[in-house]
Amino acid sequence: MSPRPLGRIAAAGTGLLATVSLVACTPHPSPEVAVRSFLLAWQDGDYAEAARYTDVEAAEVESTLADVHDQLDLASLRFDLGLISEDGESATAEFEANADLGIGDPTWTYTGEMPLQWGPDGWEISWSPSVVHPELSEGERLAVSYQSQERGQILDREGSSLVTPDSVTAFGVLPSAMDDKEEGVSELADLLDEDPDPLLQRVRSAPPEEFQPLVLLRDANVDASLLRQASQIAGAETQEVEVNMTPALAPSLVGDVAGTSEHRVSARVPGPYQAGDTVGLNGLQSIFQNELAGSATTQVVALDAGGEVTDVLDSWEGELSGQIQTTLDSGVQSAAESAVETLPDNGYMVAVDPDNGEILAAANGSESATDDGALNGSFPPGPVFTLISTMAALESGTVTRETTSECAAQAEVGGRTFVNPSQGYLAGEPDLVRNLSYACTVAYAQFADQVGADNIADTAGRFGIGADWQMPLPSDPGSIDINDEEADVASAMIGEHGIEVSPLSMALAAGAIADGNWHAPTLIREEGPEQEETSPFQEEHLEVVREGMRDAVDQRMMPELAVGGPDLHGQWSRVEGDDLSLHWFVGYQDGVAFALVAEVDPSVSLWQPYAVMGVQSFLTELGSPGVEEQGLPAQEPTEADLSGPE
């Protein structure tokens, strides 16, 4: 036999990347060779080979190392060899372990130590559980424990909750009661139509005596048959829990929450999430997933034979879940949702604070959490755009309040015939305010050559149409693309050619008319853009538009909007299409600016002004000051209604 090495050896700590060439006559001629060979085999998952360098039965070592792999659900394991000390026929070797605990989990790094003895076959590792980890004793095993955070809340501007707690059923397992973890988890995953892999990853490494929630289902999706089938799987259990999941208001803004691996969200949501954690699928729940879900505290623990924790070997503190405060006003949001419910088909409504652009409400008639048309829709505004084109005409300097223009049933501009809705007209030559109050498309088409494409585009831009704003959710500021053809400029004056808007952009435009300043939209408190307090409009021009909006309410929409009182200002119009008619209302009152668009089948009703009726519902629920709601059907102005003094 070769002589025993003496003294202290410093082994290269560069990872066990290559095998060792042995030239000695003994199987384990030095402590370094024995330790390096053992760690290399363990690292490669060749547990039988690793056992050859220990002093006990191979089966014991093989079983222990295989269990460690499953107990930690290891993605990979790497070792670096440290210092080796020799003292006669004894030696001690240090090593560094880097255990990757899997996707979303940390890498556990610790310093290990193993004793060696010189024997008949040379140097051998004196086997005990402490070889795996210095704090592990006989009868103990490793496990990974997760302490999940309760999901945070999304709040309105006053701090009230926008998400209600759901009673959900947690389907999971008690690992110690499972005869075969892989088979049992696969059965449960198949029953619940889930991918078994992320579920099995959690179960393998979990403390065996702790219930592991794997899939959360709302009670509406759980029946007696499902519970019975789950109970027949060895080790499967269910628990009732409450989780903040369902939007109480504003579902398209708040968004949905999944409590499972459904929709394969783990592939597109960053963070250390495990099976059974809650994940936002869309809306604010998705955008602020990290803040709302926080992250679990992960611990590597030692367990005794009864499954009790005897030691915490390492711990990684999770991030606490937090709250997200929005600018939404629950009362205004509720009123907006009631308004779109009055519409015959889908529609959208947005309300903002004119003073700062904060979004008070955003509602859709589909009640879908994925329908974001209130913020992100793109629609032609039609004659309701006269609110903006009036400002363009005034700011161009070519048109004043006293400028008159014939409001005939039709007129030809640039070779194109423009027709007033319902063949209506105003007698004589009305001034600008009167033409605005009746949204007289023929009059505005005839202003086109005086105003020009550039003035329309510039003014619309100052009202935020096409602006580059920042929002946490997808939103559309609208667009302007007007060419210089006379007929197209005339069409742009009445919101047709080259003009697209969203309900949000028109609500902000109404807010700018009310406040005198245009403000970019904000939805999250303290995260909005810094507002510039420079007015882009002349106050005398704004007063003309305000007067026209007030006259529109008084002369065209009473008594339906009498509920709005004397402070209500608005404009409404229709955009007719072959398959779809858009009914618009844009206005403001008492610190709330709003826009509503209704998508209506033209065959449903030719005359019902659905946008006006929706706003009537909105103002009624808000409790706006004014006379009692009359409840009489509004009518599109006819020739008799439109006729006025010569």
Side-chain angles (χ1 to χ4, degrees):
M1 294 185 181
S2 60
R4 300 188 300 275
L6 301 175
R8 188 174 180 87
I9 303 171
T14 58
L16 302 174
L17 304 178
T19 59
V20 180
S21 298
L22 301 180
V23 294
C25 61
T26 56
H28 318 141
S30 72
E32 180 183 351
V33 170
V35 173
R36 188 182 292 274
S37 300
F38 170 78
L39 293 177
L40 180 64
W42 184 7
Q43 176 177 286
D44 289 344
D46 190 348
Y47 306 137
E49 176 65 16
R52 291 182 55 237
Y53 300 94
T54 67
D55 62 356
V56 297
E57 290 291 331
E60 180 181 344
V61 178
E62 290 182 51
S63 175
T64 299
L65 297 184
D67 286 345
V68 167
H69 180 278
D70 289 347
Q71 290 162 3
L72 299 177
D73 190 30
L74 288 172
S76 67
L77 184 63
R78 184 178 61 81
F79 295 105
D80 289 308
L81 187 57
L83 296 175
I84 299 176
S85 301
E86 269 188 75
D87 184 9
E89 295 187 348
S90 300
T92 301
E94 294 181 352
F95 64 92
E96 183 179 89
N98 295 277
D100 185 344
L101 302 181
I103 297 174
D105 282 336
T107 296
W108 181 31
T109 299
Y110 66 90
T111 299
E113 185 178 279
M114 63 182 74
L116 296 95
Q117 283 292 128
W118 177 263
D121 294 324
W123 289 98
E124 293 180 323
I125 296 162
S126 299
W127 179 257
S128 71
S130 65
V131 172
V132 174
H133 189 279
E135 302 301 322
L136 209 57
S137 302
E138 288 292 342
E140 293 184 334
R141 54 154 287 181
L142 297 174
V144 181
S145 174
Y146 301 98
Q147 299 174 4
S148 298
Q149 304 285 340
E150 181 179 353
R151 192 170 184 86
Q153 261 290 356
I154 299 177
L155 309 173
D156 73 358
R157 67 195 298 111
E158 301 298 332
S160 297
S161 300
L162 292 174
V163 185
T164 58
D166 269 312
S167 176
V168 301
T169 300
F171 288 79
V173 299
L174 188 66
S176 63
M178 304 188 78
D179 299 327
D180 184 321
K181 293 185 179 65
E182 185 168 348
E183 179 181 348
V185 170
S186 295
E187 287 183 32
L188 184 61
D190 184 60
L191 176 65
L192 301 175
D193 194 24
E194 296 286 344
D195 180 359
D197 290 341
L199 311 187
L200 188 58
Q201 288 168 8
R202 177 163 185 168
V203 174
R204 282 194 185 119
S205 60
E209 300 300 330
E210 290 184 11
F211 173 75
Q212 300 301 309
L214 301 177
V215 177
L216 306 181
L217 292 182
R218 290 176 172 86
D219 285 353
N221 299 322
V222 179
D223 57 23
S225 174
L226 185 63
L227 292 172
R228 184 177 62 256
Q229 293 178 74
S231 68
Q232 293 170 354
I233 300 172
E237 296 184 4
T238 59
Q239 290 185 2
E240 292 297 312
V241 295
E242 282 197 344
V243 181
N244 296 325
M245 296 180 77
T246 301
L249 289 169
S252 62
L253 301 188
V254 173
D256 283 328
V257 173
T260 74
S261 55
E262 64 182 311
H263 306 291
R264 305 298 181 259
V265 291
S266 58
R268 61 181 176 85
V269 179
Y273 301 112
Q274 299 286 329
D277 290 345
T278 57
V279 179
L281 298 179
N282 41 53
L284 297 176
Q285 293 283 18
S286 176
I287 296 297
F288 293 100
Q289 165 65 15
N290 292 340
E291 292 87 342
L292 292 168
S295 59
T297 292
T298 304
Q299 294 180 331
V300 177
V301 297
L303 306 176
D304 62 20
E308 296 296 323
V309 175
T310 59
D311 198 0
V312 176
L313 305 181
D314 212 337
S315 180
W316 297 266
E317 288 297 320
E319 295 182 9
L320 293 176
S321 59
Q323 297 179 331
I324 301 298
Q325 185 166 23
T326 70
T327 61
L328 295 176
D329 183 301
S330 289
V332 179
Q333 178 66 36
S334 178
E337 292 181 8
S338 295
V340 296
E341 287 176 2
T342 69
L343 307 178
D345 202 343
N346 199 14
Y348 305 95
M349 187 170 194
V350 174
V352 301
D353 186 333
D355 295 339
N356 49 35
E358 291 185 350
I359 297 174
L360 304 176
N364 64 70
S366 68
E367 299 182 352
S368 169
T370 60
D371 184 356
D372 57 0
L375 304 185
N376 204 32
S378 183
F379 306 94
V384 79
F385 188 72
T386 53
L387 299 176
I388 294 174
S389 56
T390 298
M391 284 296 294
L394 292 166
E395 303 257 315
S396 73
T398 62
V399 175
T400 68
R401 185 198 182 288
E402 289 74 28
T403 298
T404 60
S405 180
E406 184 182 13
C407 181
Q410 63 182 44
E412 185 175 300
V413 179
R416 186 181 306 172
T417 299
F418 290 84
V419 179
N420 263 325
S422 307
Q423 301 296 315
Y425 68 93
L426 291 173
E429 293 191 353
D431 62 15
L432 184 62
V433 170
R434 187 161 174 77
N435 275 321
L436 172 61
S437 65
Y438 282 91
C440 187
T441 56
V442 167
Y444 277 86
Q446 294 176 97
F447 288 145
D449 62 337
Q450 298 170 262
V451 180
D454 290 344
N455 281 320
I456 299 172
D458 175 70
T459 304
R462 285 184 283 149
F463 273 103
I465 309 300
D468 184 19
W469 64 48
Q470 299 296 318
M471 284 273 288
L473 296 177
S475 59
D476 191 341
S479 61
I480 315 161
D481 184 14
I482 311 170
N483 64 42
D484 291 326
E485 296 293 329
E486 184 180 7
D488 289 335
V489 176
S491 181
M493 285 287 289
I494 57 175
E496 294 177 356
H497 168 73
I499 310 293
E500 292 286 326
V501 298
S502 64
L504 171 60
S505 64
M506 288 307 291
L508 292 167
I513 294 169
D515 182 66
N517 296 281
W518 180 83
H519 301 282
T522 57
L523 181 58
I524 304 301
R525 279 291 172 91
E526 300 179 358
E527 289 198 8
E530 293 185 6
Q531 301 288 352
E532 296 182 6
E533 293 300 327
T534 56
S535 175
F537 308 112
Q538 293 188 40
E539 182 64 21
E540 61 184 286
H541 296 160
L542 289 169
E543 280 299 325
V544 173
V545 177
R546 293 165 185 158
E547 184 180 351
M549 294 175 74
R550 182 58 208 163
D551 286 353
V553 173
D554 276 342
Q555 298 174 24
R556 293 175 65 206
M557 294 174 266
M558 295 295 256
E560 288 71 25
L561 292 182
V563 67
D567 294 326
L568 175 63
H569 294 67
Q571 179 65 290
W572 87 277
S573 67
R574 290 206 308 253
V575 182
E576 302 296 349
D578 293 336
D579 301 319
L580 194 66
S581 175
L582 298 177
H583 293 211
W584 279 96
F585 190 103
V586 177
Y588 65 87
Q589 182 211 43
D590 296 333
V592 180
F594 50 88
L596 183 151
V597 61
E599 298 177 330
V600 181
D601 184 338
S603 66
V604 171
S605 173
L606 180 63
W607 297 110
Q608 289 283 12
Y610 289 105
V612 175
M613 296 164 67
V615 169
Q616 180 190 52
S617 168
F618 176 71
L619 297 174
T620 299
E621 183 160 332
L622 283 184
S624 299
V627 299
E628 291 294 325
E629 180 183 356
Q630 301 296 310
L632 299 175
Q635 299 290 329
E636 174 74 14
T638 64
E639 292 185 13
D641 297 321
L642 288 169
S643 61
E646 296 290 337

